[in-house]
Amino acid sequence: MSEPGAAQQAVEAAIVERRERVNEAITDELPIIRPERLYEASRYLLDAGGKRLRPTILLLAAEAIEDVEPYAEDYRAFPSPAGDVDVMSAAVSIEIIQSFTLIHDDIMDDDDMRRGVPSVHNEYDLETAILAGDTLYSKAFESMLETGAPADRSVRALSELATTCTKICEGQAFDIDFEARDAVEPDEYLNMVELKTAVLYAAAASVPAMLLGDDEAVDALYGYGLDIGRAFQIQDDLLDLTTPSEKLGKQRGSDLIEGKKTLVTLHARQNGVDVDGLIDADNVEAVDESDIEEALAELRDAGSIEYARETAHDLIASGKQNLEVLPDNESRDLLGGIADYLVERDY
Amino acid sequence: MSEPGAAQQAVEAAIVERRERVNEAITDELPIIRPERLYEASRYLLDAGGKRLRPTILLLAAEAIEDVEPYAEDYRAFPSPAGDVDVMSAAVSIEIIQSFTLIHDDIMDDDDMRRGVPSVHNEYDLETAILAGDTLYSKAFESMLETGAPADRSVRALSELATTCTKICEGQAFDIDFEARDAVEPDEYLNMVELKTAVLYAAAASVPAMLLGDDEAVDALYGYGLDIGRAFQIQDDLLDLTTPSEKLGKQRGSDLIEGKKTLVTLHARQNGVDVDGLIDADNVEAVDESDIEEALAELRDAGSIEYARETAHDLIASGKQNLEVLPDNESRDLLGGIADYLVERDY
């Protein structure tokens, strides 16, 4: 990677600063109460880390919409023409949904590690992990109900949250289905990614516009979230191939090992690569970094890495264009910077 | 059981008639769309049967509050002073939540059968069952968002739904925790039942009052639901002991076999019965009806069956008293009749 420029530094600082506030708010919204084991398990992944990208996007979108200086206003009583709104509750709600899906996905995908720590069903047990996810699910709705926004705006945000969750489940179902299929079209894959991953970015970006009553911004921010969310997933797929396990917090190349379809492997298959033969399926336990390196070289030769990178970059460009309806301010620039960051990050 | 009287027949007819309408509405709200396997799994238990007691209570409460003739009004456009409300959407929402909890509970409790058919994780697989439950979860919120009630009333109902779900999870966590503990006080047990089971009855009964804007009825109907919900669970525990497996749709005595705490076994333990020795723990696979009969006789001798029955009946009496704030009409009588039915039913 090249030396980060001033713009990228500003983006990273904006993420770090907001992350701290989001983390405080998560502790407030999800205290460890009885039954303690349930709430500890519910908090476990949230406490283990995470960049809080989605809540950061939500808070920045609120600041961009109302055209206020970054951090000038209290996120818990964010000024809007129709009265103060607790946009932090909405931000926490989105992060809680993300955490619920990780817990249940790790069970479904039988993943042992997440964020460098054991997954919840591994650290606790299956029952507790299912229940912790279910608890976070309703807690996310409780949190979204605490914004203090006018009732009609709350209803709109809650409706977005509910349909987003349904779509995430549909996306996960398609993802599981794809594993068992030989042929998946890149378009089918991108539709799955939209459902499984991008709609939560779209919700994060558009919910503040709903709560603050800026109808024009709702669609634009939704489009921004959808584009950058798809790009984020494609970058995640690339990082799974290119980032050392230690930095990744889980086994490098796990998607290849598990036979997951990604934009990279779908492109490679269409271009004659024997994707199933890239990793010796009879010996997945003994896969090491050199096996992954060899597979990566073959995917690179087929142009599949470049294809995925270009697709992600095109989506980022499209996502940033959506921001043009917002007032020209620092927060809008940071939203654009986050879009770039999503495909430039190396972990 | 004695010959059912006219009142009981009227209650059963009211349940059966509303059940048909609820079933139609469930089909409308949850069509089998892509990804089909996910939606088929989501519908599987709903289609397998169920008395639809909670949605029936919700619909009757709406009729009692507005003091209209049973079935005189369209549940999809139920008249209220602030405009028509689709109370059927709310009824379906509550039933969907119930179904989601059954699917996930069956995984957690490792139950193979439900409603006479394989449990969802047994019929499909673990992944699909987790995901079907998660899908129903958000679908319930979507359904509750479709009532067309004024936004402030919708928000109140959604808030009730969210906190209800959180409590159900807490109750299930306590229930799992109790299995591993020797000593559980009856009060702890009743608190667990309130969370795990009764709050959904309370939501079913009180949500129509929220949607229709009858503030006085909200608390009374909530209390009614809480009381009869606890009584329902106690009766369920009794039926697990006394109903043949065939009629029950699952192994008779499964709570005893699994070492589940119930009001019956907690009372028995306090009165000197060796509850853990009632079923030969080394041989649970070979437990037959005669083993359960012997265990039942011992519990009866200790007065534990009678104690549980009396507790349930006291709760029913208390629940019915709550109905007195409602207008005196046929629907209110039916709500009282359902309360009686819950502890008189034999399956």
Side-chain angles (χ1 to χ4, degrees):
Chain A
M1 302 288 292
S2 56
E3 200 62 20
Q8 193 182 327
Q9 281 179 358
V11 166
E12 286 177 7
I15 293 171
V16 169
E17 286 180 69
R18 282 174 186 76
R19 179 172 66 204
E20 281 167 28
R21 300 187 188 205
V22 171
N23 286 346
E24 271 174 42
I26 288 170
T27 313
D28 290 345
E29 303 275 340
L30 280 173
I32 309 290
I33 56 172
R34 292 194 67 209
E36 282 89 358
R37 188 179 156 86
L38 175 63
Y39 282 101
E40 282 163 11
S42 302
R43 278 271 296 278
Y44 181 74
L45 268 192
L46 284 161
D47 291 349
K51 289 189 277 297
R52 316 298 187 217
L53 287 175
R54 298 162 194 79
T56 292
I57 288 169
L58 191 150
L59 298 172
L60 282 171
E63 293 176 317
I65 291 163
E66 295 295 344
D67 204 12
V68 298
E69 290 293 309
Y71 309 119
E73 305 297 338
D74 181 359
Y75 291 134
R76 291 290 197 184
F78 199 78
S80 90
D84 290 350
V85 173
D86 178 356
V87 290
M88 182 58 90
S89 284
V92 169
S93 171
I94 296 290
E95 186 68 10
I96 290 176
I97 288 293
Q98 165 67 4
S99 193
F100 133 64
T101 63
L102 294 180
I103 295 173
H104 281 191
D105 282 4
D106 284 343
I107 301 172
M108 293 184 246
D109 299 342
D110 205 10
D111 282 332
D112 290 340
M113 298 292 288
R114 169 72 69 177
R115 291 179 173 164
V117 297
S119 49
V120 176
H121 66 281
N122 195 5
E123 176 70 17
Y124 293 82
D125 51 58
L126 175 67
E127 294 79 9
T128 306
I130 292 174
L131 208 48
D134 291 345
T135 303
L136 290 173
Y137 210 149
S138 50
K139 281 286 168 189
F141 280 90
E142 288 186 39
S143 207
M144 191 62 87
L145 278 152
E146 283 163 12
T147 64
D152 57 331
R153 296 181 188 177
S154 273
V155 164
R156 193 166 176 194
L158 288 160
S159 180
E160 188 59 47
L161 191 67
T163 55
T164 296
C165 291
T166 301
K167 286 177 182 173
I168 291 171
C169 292
E170 291 174 350
Q172 172 71 354
F174 281 121
D175 199 15
I176 292 172
D177 176 48
F178 288 176
E179 278 183 67
R181 280 169 52 187
D182 272 348
V184 174
E185 297 296 315
D187 274 358
E188 286 182 287
Y189 173 79
L190 285 172
N191 178 54
M192 181 277 286
V193 167
E194 176 174 327
L195 293 168
K196 182 172 171 174
T197 304
V199 292
L200 193 58
Y201 277 91
S206 63
V207 156
M210 296 176 194
L211 293 173
L212 298 168
D214 185 341
D215 285 346
E216 198 195 355
V218 169
D219 288 347
L221 283 164
Y222 195 88
Y224 162 82
L226 220 49
D227 284 335
I228 70 165
R230 283 181 288 202
F232 168 86
Q233 185 58 52
I234 294 168
Q235 180 70 4
D236 236 32
D237 295 342
L238 285 165
L239 291 177
D240 186 75
L241 289 167
T242 58
T243 307
S245 303
E246 209 181 274
K247 204 166 182 184
L248 207 57
K250 58 176 188 174
Q251 165 71 50
R252 177 181 170 199
S254 60
D255 292 345
L256 266 190
I257 295 167
E258 291 166 16
K260 283 220 153 196
K261 307 291 190 288
T262 67
L263 200 58
V264 175
T265 61
L266 295 173
H267 177 274
R269 194 184 297 269
Q270 283 191 325
N271 287 274
V273 176
D274 172 20
V275 172
D276 301 323
L278 285 173
I279 301 287
D280 180 0
D282 294 333
N283 200 20
V284 289
E285 294 299 317
V287 172
D288 64 21
E289 300 275 317
S290 70
D291 296 322
I292 308 291
E293 279 298 338
E294 276 177 43
L296 177 59
E298 206 166 329
L299 294 167
R300 216 185 285 276
D301 289 346
S304 305
I305 300 291
E306 193 51 30
Y307 169 74
R309 268 199 223 289
E310 270 178 22
T311 305
H313 277 94
D314 289 349
L315 285 165
I316 292 302
S318 161
K320 286 165 79 175
Q321 264 192 338
N322 276 295
L323 297 175
E324 282 168 20
V325 303
L326 297 177
D328 183 3
N329 53 40
E330 191 181 335
S331 299
R332 187 184 85 169
D333 291 345
L334 287 169
L335 286 173
I338 283 185
D340 292 327
Y341 168 81
L342 288 183
V343 291
E344 280 160 12
R345 71 199 162 101
D346 56 357
Y347 70 101
Chain B
M1 299 293 290
S2 56
E3 201 62 20
Q8 194 183 326
Q9 282 180 357
V11 167
E12 286 178 7
I15 293 171
V16 169
E17 286 180 69
R18 283 174 186 77
R19 180 172 65 204
E20 281 167 27
R21 299 187 187 204
V22 170
N23 286 346
E24 271 174 43
I26 288 170
T27 313
D28 290 346
E29 302 276 339
L30 280 173
I32 309 289
I33 55 172
R34 289 195 70 210
E36 282 90 357
R37 187 178 156 85
L38 175 63
Y39 281 100
E40 281 164 10
S42 302
R43 278 271 297 277
Y44 181 73
L45 268 192
L46 284 161
D47 291 350
K51 289 187 280 293
R52 316 296 188 218
L53 286 175
R54 298 164 195 79
T56 292
I57 288 169
L58 191 150
L59 298 173
L60 282 171
E63 292 175 318
I65 290 163
E66 295 295 345
D67 204 13
V68 297
E69 289 294 309
Y71 310 118
E73 305 297 338
D74 181 359
Y75 292 134
R76 291 292 197 181
F78 199 78
S80 90
D84 290 351
V85 173
D86 178 355
V87 289
M88 183 58 91
S89 284
V92 169
S93 170
I94 297 290
E95 187 68 10
I96 290 177
I97 289 292
Q98 165 67 5
S99 193
F100 132 64
T101 64
L102 294 180
I103 294 174
H104 281 191
D105 282 5
D106 284 344
I107 301 172
M108 292 184 246
D109 299 342
D110 206 11
D111 282 332
D112 290 341
M113 298 292 287
R114 169 72 69 176
R115 291 179 174 165
V117 298
S119 47
V120 176
H121 67 280
N122 194 5
E123 176 70 18
Y124 292 83
D125 51 58
L126 175 68
E127 294 77 9
T128 306
I130 292 174
L131 208 48
D134 291 344
T135 304
L136 290 173
Y137 210 149
S138 50
K139 281 286 170 189
F141 280 89
E142 288 186 39
S143 207
M144 190 62 86
L145 278 152
E146 283 163 12
T147 63
D152 57 332
R153 296 181 188 176
S154 274
V155 164
R156 194 168 175 191
L158 288 160
S159 181
E160 188 59 46
L161 191 68
T163 56
T164 296
C165 291
T166 301
K167 286 178 182 173
I168 291 171
C169 292
E170 291 174 350
Q172 171 71 353
F174 280 121
D175 199 15
I176 292 173
D177 176 48
F178 288 176
E179 278 183 67
R181 280 169 52 187
D182 273 346
V184 174
E185 297 296 316
D187 275 359
E188 286 182 287
Y189 174 79
L190 286 172
N191 178 56
M192 180 277 286
V193 167
E194 176 175 327
L195 293 169
K196 182 171 171 174
T197 305
V199 293
L200 193 58
Y201 278 91
S206 63
V207 157
M210 296 176 194
L211 293 173
L212 299 168
D214 186 340
D215 286 344
E216 199 195 355
V218 169
D219 288 347
L221 283 165
Y222 194 87
Y224 162 83
L226 221 48
D227 284 335
I228 71 166
R230 283 181 289 201
F232 169 86
Q233 186 58 53
I234 295 168
Q235 180 70 5
D236 236 33
D237 296 342
L238 285 165
L239 291 176
D240 186 75
L241 289 167
T242 59
T243 307
S245 303
E246 209 180 278
K247 203 165 183 183
L248 207 58
K250 57 176 188 175
Q251 165 71 50
R252 176 182 170 200
S254 61
D255 292 345
L256 266 191
I257 295 167
E258 291 166 17
K260 283 219 153 195
K261 307 294 190 284
T262 67
L263 201 58
V264 176
T265 60
L266 293 174
H267 177 275
R269 194 183 296 270
Q270 283 191 326
N271 286 274
V273 175
D274 173 20
V275 172
D276 301 324
L278 284 173
I279 299 288
D280 181 1
D282 294 333
N283 200 21
V284 290
E285 293 300 316
V287 172
D288 64 20
E289 299 275 318
S290 70
D291 297 320
I292 307 290
E293 279 298 339
E294 276 177 44
L296 178 58
E298 206 168 327
L299 293 167
R300 214 185 286 278
D301 289 345
S304 306
I305 301 292
E306 192 51 30
Y307 168 74
R309 269 199 222 289
E310 270 179 22
T311 305
H313 277 94
D314 290 349
L315 285 166
I316 292 303
S318 161
K320 287 165 78 176
Q321 264 193 337
N322 276 296
L323 298 175
E324 282 168 19
V325 303
L326 298 177
D328 182 5
N329 55 39
E330 192 181 335
S331 299
R332 187 183 85 169
D333 292 344
L334 286 169
L335 286 172
I338 283 186
D340 292 327
Y341 167 82
L342 288 183
V343 292
E344 281 161 11
R345 71 200 163 99
D346 57 356
Y347 71 99

